[in-house]
Amino acid sequence: MLAAVLHEAGPPDIFSFEELPIPEPAAGEVLVRVRATGVSYKDVVERNGTYRRDIIFPLVIGLEIAGDVTAVGAGVTRLRPGDRVCTKAFSSCGNCRYCRNGRETTCRQRRPVRGGYAQYTALPEDAFVPIPASLSYEIACMLGPGAGVALNAVRDTAHVEAGDTVLVTGATGGVGLPAVQIAKTAGARVLAVTRSAAKRDFLLEHGADEVIVAGDSEDFSRQVKPLTRDGEGVDVVIDTVGSVVFDAAFNSLAPHGRYAFVGQLNGDSIRINPARVFFKRAQLLGVGSVSRRQLEDVIAMTAVGHIRPQVARVMALRDLPEAHRLVEEGLVAGRIVIAP
Ligand SMILES: [Zn+2]
């Protein structure tokens, strides 16, 4: 099978295209013929060396996978050959106290999902959730690490309610865009932040009520606050960008606001005077990954049109260097999907 292998971190052309044997599914594992793999920003930071957790070379990355089950290892009970599936961001053990009370994303035995930049991948059964025939592989591949994490952030962590005003940073991204749509479905008014004026119409067409165009490290709270009730700010921030926008996004938060951290696109730290947190009675919330239930829910929400993931382009496996360059430079609205 053809695979794009990383032997070290580096620029987009660091991928080595190699013929590897099709993996054998071990006990508890499922072998999947990969039909579509989304190019996520996590792939970019794993490839360029910013993200180093659990990285051991040589490595085939790519966590947003959809495909067909072709074989199952011993002890696999939920899936069988022929099933159409997509991935969570991690697999977990299913038995520990975190897994047993719906907190499987913090399972001590969790393993990151990788391997989508190849024609086949073998992963633990728990990494996969079945998808209906009505959902294309190109859409399904991005639901777990994208819309599923957005559902975790908007519904289950920030507890967005009808009438809330919600600010989404990185709003055209893989988590940002479904966060806009889920918050809108929940009855919130959604303010979307992007650094590209060219993406304004795209965001308005996909659920945003207002679009704020702001350059890196610009204090966009001056644009946000006049758009909110009494100029006080937003009730919720869903921050998919991290330290680059933190000051501006925190300044945009109303008293008693909830600030959900979902992403961090570079390695920089933030600085904040703790008094600013308690004067504002702010809640700072960490959002971690996606559970099976959350992924099942976004699959159902996508099937009825509440979430409309956008495929920017479908590209071949050998086009990965170009795909990574486009994603790293923020030149696409919606997901680039690789069809290996
Ligand atoms: Zn567990």
Side-chain angles (χ1 to χ4, degrees):
M1 68 167 188
L2 184 64
V5 183
L6 288 177
H7 292 277
E8 58 182 322
D13 62 3
I14 198 80
F15 290 106
S16 168
F17 295 94
E18 300 174 12
E19 279 295 330
L20 300 180
I22 294 174
E24 289 282 334
E29 285 188 342
V30 170
L31 179 67
V32 165
R33 170 71 175 95
V34 180
R35 300 295 180 186
T37 300
V39 178
S40 76
Y41 209 84
K42 181 160 188 240
D43 298 342
V44 169
V45 294
E46 289 186 346
R47 186 263 303 151
N48 70 20
T50 304
Y51 185 100
R52 299 189 193 89
R53 195 170 173 182
D54 307 317
I55 298 281
I56 299 165
F57 298 112
L59 184 65
V60 177
I61 61 170
L63 82 156
E64 298 187 351
I65 304 166
D68 301 308
V69 174
T70 56
V72 299
V76 169
T77 54
R78 272 189 313 108
L79 296 172
R80 64 184 68 175
D83 285 348
R84 302 168 85 248
V85 292
C86 67
T87 45
K88 303 194 292 181
F90 290 88
S91 62
S92 43
C93 79
N95 296 314
C96 70
R97 70 189 177 94
Y98 291 112
C99 287
R100 282 186 277 107
N101 68 11
R103 293 177 171 174
E104 72 209 54
T105 64
T106 31
C107 173
R108 294 280 176 87
Q109 292 168 63
R110 75 179 198 163
R111 283 173 48 187
V113 167
R114 292 196 184 99
Y117 291 173
Q119 291 176 319
Y120 288 84
T121 189
L123 289 165
E125 179 183 27
D126 183 69
F128 297 105
V129 171
I131 54 173
S134 62
L135 216 52
S136 72
Y137 298 112
E138 290 77 14
I139 294 291
C141 70
M142 63 177 117
L143 288 181
V149 174
L151 186 71
N152 185 354
V154 172
R155 184 188 71 183
D156 297 336
T157 304
H159 302 297
V160 169
E161 296 179 352
D164 281 343
T165 301
V166 176
L167 184 78
V168 179
T169 66
T172 57
V175 176
L177 187 63
V180 167
Q181 293 170 346
I182 292 165
K184 186 73 179 170
T185 298
R189 181 157 165 267
V190 183
L191 280 49
V193 183
T194 177
R195 55 185 173 173
S196 165
K199 293 173 180 171
R200 179 187 293 276
D201 289 346
F202 173 86
L203 283 165
L204 292 172
E205 286 163 18
H206 291 92
D209 294 290
E210 306 279 356
V211 176
I212 291 98
V213 178
D216 286 348
S217 65
E218 178 182 337
D219 186 0
F220 51 73
S221 67
R222 291 187 205 102
Q223 294 184 65
V224 171
K225 285 193 163 179
L227 300 171
T228 63
R229 190 185 311 166
D230 300 328
E232 287 209 299
V234 298
D235 302 298
V236 171
V237 171
I238 305 294
D239 180 10
T240 74
V241 174
S243 45
V244 175
V245 301
F246 175 75
D247 286 336
F250 190 81
N251 288 342
S252 303
L253 195 65
H256 302 280
R258 291 98 79 196
Y259 192 113
F261 291 93
V262 194
Q264 168 68 337
L265 300 192
N266 65 27
D268 296 344
S269 297
I270 56 173
R271 286 174 57 86
I272 185 165
N273 184 328
R276 295 186 64 209
V277 178
F278 58 71
F279 282 148
K280 200 174 267 212
R281 279 67 163 162
Q283 297 181 50
L284 303 181
L285 305 164
V287 181
S289 199
V290 54
S291 70
R292 171 170 301 280
R293 181 196 160 204
Q294 286 157 348
L295 179 49
E296 289 169 350
D297 287 352
V298 294
I299 288 169
M301 291 174 75
T302 305
V304 298
H306 288 320
I307 299 170
R308 300 178 304 283
Q310 293 301 303
V311 177
R313 281 167 77 176
V314 179
M315 299 171 77
L317 189 60
R318 287 185 184 276
D319 295 329
L320 261 180
E322 172 69 359
H324 266 240
R325 191 185 66 76
L326 291 169
V327 173
E328 189 161 24
E329 294 178 12
L331 297 177
V332 284
R335 219 25 146 215
I336 290 182
V337 172
I338 299 295

XYZ file of all heavy atoms in Angstrom, residues 110-190:
569
model
N -5.503 6.023 26.788
C -5.925 6.498 25.478
C -4.728 6.525 24.524
O -3.585 6.747 24.921
C -6.555 7.879 25.583
C -5.585 9.015 25.802
C -6.324 10.330 25.872
N -5.412 11.451 25.653
C -5.806 12.674 25.348
N -7.096 12.946 25.223
N -4.931 13.632 25.170
N -5.020 6.261 23.258
C -3.985 6.284 22.224
C -4.444 7.215 21.112
O -5.598 7.157 20.685
C -3.792 4.874 21.640
C -2.990 3.948 22.544
C -2.974 2.537 22.009
N -2.635 2.470 20.576
C -2.692 1.347 19.853
N -3.088 0.217 20.407
N -2.358 1.358 18.581
N -3.546 8.106 20.636
C -3.946 9.011 19.553
C -4.243 8.237 18.277
O -3.605 7.225 17.988
C -2.722 9.919 19.375
C -1.579 9.160 19.940
C -2.141 8.277 21.030
N -5.235 8.702 17.534
C -5.518 8.133 16.216
C -4.558 8.762 15.213
O -4.431 9.979 15.139
C -6.981 8.420 15.814
C -7.199 8.116 14.328
C -7.927 7.603 16.670
N -3.858 7.908 14.474
C -3.006 8.366 13.369
C -3.026 7.280 12.308
O -3.451 6.162 12.563
C -1.560 8.591 13.826
C -1.373 9.756 14.784
C 0.089 10.152 14.891
N 0.286 11.204 15.864
C 0.711 10.998 17.131
N 0.985 9.787 17.543
N 0.848 12.012 17.952
N -2.527 7.602 11.116
C -2.382 6.583 10.089
C -3.230 6.812 8.852
O -3.265 5.981 7.943
N -3.936 7.940 8.780
C -4.823 8.200 7.647
C -4.124 8.575 6.360
O -4.736 8.548 5.298
N -2.826 8.930 6.451
C -2.087 9.265 5.232
C -1.510 7.985 4.612
O -0.315 7.885 4.323
C -0.960 10.247 5.533
C -1.387 11.646 5.933
C -0.445 12.577 6.366
C -2.714 12.057 5.857
C -0.810 13.862 6.716
C -3.098 13.335 6.221
C -2.134 14.239 6.638
O -2.489 15.521 6.995
N -2.366 7.000 4.451
C -1.980 5.720 3.855
C -3.253 5.068 3.325
O -4.363 5.479 3.666
C -1.320 4.815 4.889
N -3.083 4.029 2.512
C -4.272 3.406 1.918
C -5.002 2.490 2.891
O -6.198 2.246 2.733
C -3.858 2.660 0.644
C -3.456 3.651 -0.457
C -2.943 2.977 -1.703
O -2.195 2.001 -1.624
N -3.328 3.490 -2.858
N -4.292 1.977 3.889
C -4.919 1.166 4.935
C -4.364 1.602 6.292
O -3.217 2.044 6.385
C -4.600 -0.325 4.765
C -5.297 -0.981 3.598
C -4.759 -0.902 2.329
C -6.495 -1.677 3.779
C -5.385 -1.505 1.248
C -7.130 -2.282 2.705
C -6.572 -2.190 1.441
O -7.207 -2.783 0.388
N -5.173 1.434 7.340
C -4.655 1.655 8.689
C -5.351 0.695 9.649
O -6.537 0.378 9.468
C -4.836 3.113 9.140
O -4.131 3.313 10.367
C -6.308 3.479 9.349
N -4.605 0.192 10.636
C -5.173 -0.675 11.677
C -5.141 0.083 12.989
O -4.089 0.572 13.411
C -4.373 -1.972 11.792
N -6.307 0.201 13.635
C -6.432 0.963 14.877
C -7.369 0.212 15.823
O -8.169 -0.624 15.384
C -7.034 2.344 14.582
C -6.145 3.349 13.833
C -6.979 4.500 13.303
C -5.036 3.860 14.753
N -7.313 0.521 17.141
C -8.238 -0.132 18.071
C -9.697 0.110 17.669
O -10.047 1.190 17.179
C -7.923 0.543 19.410
C -6.505 1.018 19.265
C -6.356 1.402 17.826
N -10.523 -0.897 17.901
C -11.947 -0.799 17.570
C -12.578 0.467 18.142
O -13.427 1.100 17.516
C -12.673 -2.040 18.109
C -14.162 -2.060 17.849
C -14.849 -3.279 18.456
O -14.342 -3.808 19.463
O -15.891 -3.694 17.916
N -12.135 0.851 19.366
C -12.753 1.999 20.025
C -12.533 3.297 19.262
O -13.238 4.285 19.491
C -12.219 2.142 21.454
C -12.898 3.280 22.206
O -14.093 3.139 22.504
O -12.249 4.322 22.433
N -11.546 3.333 18.342
C -11.272 4.568 17.591
C -12.374 4.876 16.583
O -12.468 6.003 16.100
C -9.932 4.459 16.863
N -13.199 3.866 16.240
C -14.140 4.012 15.127
C -15.598 4.076 15.578
O -16.001 3.398 16.531
C -13.995 2.839 14.157
C -12.637 2.756 13.504
C -11.719 1.803 13.917
C -12.288 3.625 12.484
C -10.467 1.718 13.317
C -11.047 3.545 11.873
C -10.132 2.593 12.295
N -16.376 4.870 14.827
C -17.824 4.946 15.004
C -18.453 4.718 13.627
O -17.974 5.270 12.633
C -18.233 6.328 15.569
C -19.741 6.511 15.554
C -17.703 6.495 16.995
N -19.518 3.905 13.535
C -20.167 3.672 12.233
C -20.831 4.937 11.685
O -21.290 5.790 12.454
C -21.231 2.608 12.543
C -20.835 2.022 13.858
C -20.123 3.112 14.606
N -20.865 5.051 10.359
C -21.554 6.179 9.708
C -22.642 5.642 8.789
O -22.510 4.561 8.230
C -20.570 7.063 8.911
C -19.754 6.244 7.898
C -19.641 7.805 9.857
C -18.884 7.076 6.979
N -23.737 6.419 8.628
C -24.827 5.952 7.752
C -24.436 6.069 6.283
O -23.522 6.823 5.922
C -25.969 6.923 8.086
C -25.300 8.162 8.574
C -24.035 7.707 9.258
N -25.152 5.337 5.432
C -24.859 5.331 3.995
C -25.050 6.710 3.377
O -24.438 7.034 2.360
C -25.762 4.311 3.294
N -25.879 7.546 4.009
C -26.170 8.870 3.435
C -25.011 9.848 3.587
O -25.008 10.913 2.979
C -27.407 9.461 4.121
O -27.166 9.635 5.507
N -24.028 9.519 4.401
C -22.932 10.445 4.689
C -21.708 10.060 3.853
O -21.261 8.914 3.899
C -22.601 10.352 6.183
C -22.194 11.615 6.922
C -23.190 12.751 6.721
C -22.059 11.307 8.409
N -21.161 11.015 3.104
C -19.984 10.712 2.274
C -18.744 10.551 3.154
O -18.664 11.099 4.256
C -19.748 11.840 1.261
O -19.268 12.995 1.918
N -17.760 9.804 2.628
C -16.495 9.660 3.360
C -15.820 11.025 3.546
O -15.204 11.286 4.583
C -15.537 8.744 2.587
C -16.014 7.335 2.378
C -16.345 6.872 1.108
C -16.126 6.450 3.445
C -16.778 5.571 0.899
C -16.551 5.149 3.252
C -16.881 4.717 1.981
O -17.302 3.429 1.774
N -15.931 11.888 2.517
C -15.246 13.186 2.566
C -15.780 14.048 3.704
O -15.035 14.800 4.334
C -15.420 13.933 1.229
C -14.659 13.307 0.067
C -15.329 12.058 -0.489
O -16.512 11.806 -0.169
O -14.664 11.322 -1.251
N -17.090 13.969 3.966
C -17.679 14.714 5.086
C -17.405 13.987 6.403
O -16.991 14.592 7.396
C -19.207 14.863 4.885
C -19.510 15.735 3.663
C -19.869 15.419 6.140
C -19.155 17.192 3.819
N -17.619 12.666 6.407
C -17.529 11.911 7.667
C -16.139 11.978 8.284
O -16.007 12.007 9.508
C -17.916 10.448 7.415
N -15.092 12.038 7.437
C -13.737 11.962 7.984
C -13.462 13.084 8.964
O -12.723 12.897 9.931
C -12.697 11.937 6.861
S -12.502 13.474 5.948
N -14.032 14.251 8.746
C -13.672 15.396 9.590
C -14.603 15.577 10.778
O -14.408 16.491 11.580
C -13.629 16.669 8.741
C -14.942 17.056 8.143
S -14.797 18.617 7.217
C -15.194 18.069 5.572
N -15.607 14.710 10.941
C -16.611 14.967 11.984
C -16.061 14.791 13.399
O -16.374 15.588 14.284
C -17.827 14.050 11.786
C -18.711 14.406 10.593
C -19.901 13.450 10.520
C -19.186 15.844 10.659
N -15.267 13.760 13.662
C -14.816 13.511 15.032
C -13.923 14.614 15.567
O -14.303 15.353 16.479
N -12.736 14.778 14.971
C -11.825 15.807 15.474
C -12.307 17.228 15.178
O -11.780 18.176 15.750
C -10.521 15.513 14.722
C -10.644 14.085 14.283
C -12.102 13.898 13.980
N -13.270 17.408 14.307
C -13.789 18.735 13.989
C -15.088 19.020 14.716
O -15.117 19.603 15.804
N -16.203 18.571 14.130
C -17.520 18.874 14.694
C -17.710 18.241 16.073
O -18.377 18.811 16.946
C -18.607 18.387 13.741
N -17.143 17.063 16.289
C -17.293 16.400 17.589
C -16.663 17.209 18.707
O -17.252 17.376 19.789
N -15.466 17.729 18.454
C -14.801 18.582 19.444
C -15.584 19.882 19.617
O -15.726 20.400 20.734
C -13.339 18.850 19.029
C -12.687 19.856 19.962
C -12.543 17.536 19.013
N -16.133 20.394 18.521
C -16.948 21.611 18.610
C -18.191 21.370 19.467
O -18.587 22.232 20.263
C -17.347 22.075 17.204
N -18.811 20.201 19.337
C -19.983 19.884 20.167
C -19.576 19.781 21.638
O -20.290 20.281 22.524
C -20.612 18.567 19.707
C -21.934 18.220 20.407
C -23.069 19.136 19.945
C -22.321 16.758 20.171
N -18.441 19.158 21.895
C -17.916 19.095 23.256
C -17.769 20.513 23.819
O -18.195 20.804 24.947
C -16.567 18.360 23.234
C -15.992 18.125 24.618
O -16.524 18.595 25.615
N -14.881 17.405 24.682
N -17.199 21.424 23.002
C -16.947 22.793 23.456
C -18.245 23.564 23.682
O -18.477 24.121 24.762
C -16.085 23.529 22.432
N -19.106 23.576 22.676
C -20.284 24.450 22.689
C -21.358 23.920 23.636
O -21.887 24.650 24.476
C -20.851 24.605 21.258
C -22.188 25.354 21.276
C -19.841 25.314 20.365
N -21.700 22.634 23.504
C -22.815 22.075 24.276
C -22.388 21.578 25.653
O -23.011 21.914 26.662
C -23.461 20.913 23.506
C -24.693 20.336 24.193
C -25.197 19.072 23.519
N -24.298 17.936 23.725
C -24.487 16.720 23.174
N -25.522 16.522 22.374
N -23.627 15.742 23.407
N -21.305 20.787 25.691
C -21.019 20.049 26.921
C -20.020 20.743 27.843
O -19.933 20.381 29.017
C -20.514 18.645 26.563
C -21.583 17.839 25.812
O -22.780 18.158 25.976
O -21.226 16.918 25.054
N -19.257 21.715 27.344
C -18.305 22.422 28.215
C -18.755 23.862 28.479
O -18.869 24.275 29.637
C -16.894 22.404 27.602
O -16.503 21.046 27.361
C -15.883 23.039 28.555
N -19.029 24.645 27.442
C -19.452 26.037 27.636
C -20.952 26.151 27.899
O -21.434 27.204 28.318
C -19.079 26.877 26.428
N -21.697 25.062 27.703
C -23.141 25.024 27.980
C -23.878 26.211 27.341
O -24.608 26.946 28.005
C -23.398 24.978 29.493
C -22.759 23.799 30.157
N -23.097 22.506 29.867
C -21.765 23.721 31.073
C -22.358 21.671 30.581
N -21.530 22.383 31.312
N -23.665 26.398 26.040
C -24.326 27.479 25.303
C -25.833 27.256 25.296
O -26.316 26.138 25.073
C -23.787 27.555 23.860
C -24.639 28.480 23.000
C -22.325 28.020 23.879
N -26.574 28.352 25.576
C -28.035 28.280 25.624
C -28.648 29.290 24.666
O -27.989 30.252 24.261
C -28.533 28.593 27.049
C -28.064 27.567 28.072
C -28.543 27.917 29.466
O -29.101 29.027 29.645
O -28.370 27.073 30.356
N -29.929 29.088 24.350
C -30.670 30.035 23.527
C -30.571 31.415 24.163
O -30.731 31.573 25.373
C -32.130 29.599 23.413
N -30.277 32.422 23.321
C -30.166 33.782 23.815
C -28.746 34.220 24.120
O -28.478 35.413 24.260
N -27.811 33.269 24.251
C -26.408 33.617 24.469
C -25.823 34.266 23.212
O -26.262 33.990 22.092
C -25.568 32.361 24.764
C -25.709 31.877 26.206
O -26.179 32.655 27.064
O -25.345 30.710 26.465
N -24.816 35.111 23.434
C -23.990 35.584 22.323
C -22.654 34.869 22.415
O -22.032 34.837 23.479
C -23.784 37.107 22.397
O -25.056 37.732 22.349
C -22.944 37.592 21.228
N -22.250 34.262 21.290
C -21.061 33.401 21.280
C -20.057 33.924 20.264
O -20.408 34.193 19.110
C -21.451 31.950 20.918
C -20.219 31.061 20.819
C -22.430 31.391 21.954
N -18.813 34.089 20.706
C -17.716 34.475 19.819
C -16.895 33.238 19.485
O -16.479 32.504 20.386
C -16.832 35.510 20.521
C -15.676 36.092 19.705
C -16.208 37.163 18.740
C -14.617 36.709 20.603
N -16.680 32.980 18.191
C -15.870 31.842 17.770
C -14.627 32.376 17.065
O -14.746 33.094 16.061
C -16.646 30.903 16.821
C -15.769 29.737 16.381
C -17.911 30.385 17.505
N -13.437 32.062 17.584
C -12.198 32.458 16.904
C -11.770 31.342 15.945
O -12.107 30.178 16.143
C -11.071 32.729 17.903
O -10.723 31.509 18.572
C -11.480 33.781 18.935
N -11.044 31.714 14.910
C -10.647 30.715 13.905
C -11.869 30.095 13.268
O -11.949 28.881 13.069
N -12.857 30.936 12.943
C -14.200 30.442 12.637
C -14.301 29.664 11.332
O -15.282 28.962 11.124
C -15.196 31.604 12.630
N -13.325 29.772 10.450
C -13.401 28.967 9.228
C -12.689 27.622 9.382
O -12.661 26.823 8.452
C -12.769 29.707 8.025
O -11.414 30.034 8.352
C -13.544 30.951 7.686
N -12.126 27.357 10.559
C -11.333 26.146 10.754
C -12.180 24.901 10.974
O -13.417 24.950 11.015
N -11.488 23.782 11.140
C -12.155 22.488 11.250
C -13.010 22.358 12.490
O -14.017 21.637 12.485
N -12.648 23.033 13.592
C -13.488 23.071 14.785
C -14.330 24.348 14.784
O -15.484 24.349 15.208
C -12.627 22.993 16.069
C -13.498 23.122 17.319
C -11.850 21.675 16.106
N -13.753 25.434 14.260
C -14.431 26.728 14.292
C -15.749 26.736 13.533
O -16.774 27.192 14.053
N -15.738 26.216 12.307
C -16.963 26.280 11.495
C -18.108 25.465 12.099
O -19.221 25.973 12.241
C -16.672 25.858 10.056
C -17.839 26.045 9.093
C -18.210 27.517 8.955
C -17.503 25.464 7.718
N -17.881 24.204 12.515
C -18.988 23.507 13.183
C -19.380 24.149 14.510
O -20.556 24.099 14.882
C -18.456 22.077 13.375
C -16.998 22.146 13.172
C -16.735 23.315 12.257
N -18.435 24.801 15.196
C -18.805 25.499 16.438
C -19.793 26.621 16.133
O -20.761 26.841 16.868
C -17.560 26.049 17.139
N -19.565 27.333 15.027
C -20.503 28.379 14.595
C -21.887 27.762 14.369
O -22.914 28.260 14.846
C -19.998 29.057 13.295
C -21.091 29.909 12.653
C -18.748 29.893 13.573
N -21.931 26.637 13.654
C -23.215 26.038 13.279
C -23.926 25.416 14.484
O -25.159 25.499 14.593
C -22.981 25.001 12.170
C -22.514 25.690 10.887
C -22.027 24.737 9.816
O -21.786 23.557 10.070
N -21.870 25.247 8.602
N -23.178 24.810 15.388
C -23.793 24.196 16.569
C -24.333 25.282 17.504
O -25.445 25.166 18.037
C -22.779 23.279 17.280
C -22.462 22.054 16.401
C -23.310 22.835 18.644
C -21.227 21.286 16.830
N -23.564 26.363 17.700
C -24.036 27.457 18.553
C -25.299 28.082 17.955
O -26.250 28.413 18.670
C -22.940 28.503 18.717
N -25.320 28.230 16.637
C -26.494 28.787 15.959
C -27.699 27.857 16.155
O -28.806 28.312 16.461
C -26.174 28.940 14.469
C -27.239 29.626 13.672
C -27.259 31.105 13.984
C -28.325 31.828 13.157
N -28.493 33.208 13.631
N -27.495 26.549 16.001
C -28.574 25.579 16.190
C -29.106 25.621 17.620
O -30.292 25.408 17.857
C -28.058 24.162 15.856
O -27.662 24.133 14.484
C -29.130 23.104 16.079
N -28.211 25.942 18.582
C -28.619 25.997 19.992
C -29.399 27.263 20.314
O -29.887 27.422 21.430
C -27.383 25.902 20.884
N -29.508 28.175 19.345
C -30.285 29.389 19.570
C -29.451 30.585 19.976
O -29.976 31.599 20.441
N -28.131 30.500 19.794
C -27.259 31.619 20.144
C -27.101 32.567 18.966
O -27.344 32.209 17.810
C -25.884 31.093 20.557
N -26.676 33.797 19.257
C -26.229 34.739 18.228
C -24.721 34.561 18.111
O -24.011 34.567 19.123
C -26.586 36.151 18.649
C -26.194 37.194 17.650
C -27.059 38.458 17.841
N -26.446 39.567 17.135
C -25.609 40.419 17.715
N -25.343 40.331 18.990
N -25.065 41.389 16.999
N -24.239 34.368 16.888
C -22.855 33.931 16.710
C -22.021 35.002 16.009
O -22.364 35.460 14.911
C -22.792 32.626 15.894
C -21.351 32.143 15.779
C -23.656 31.548 16.559
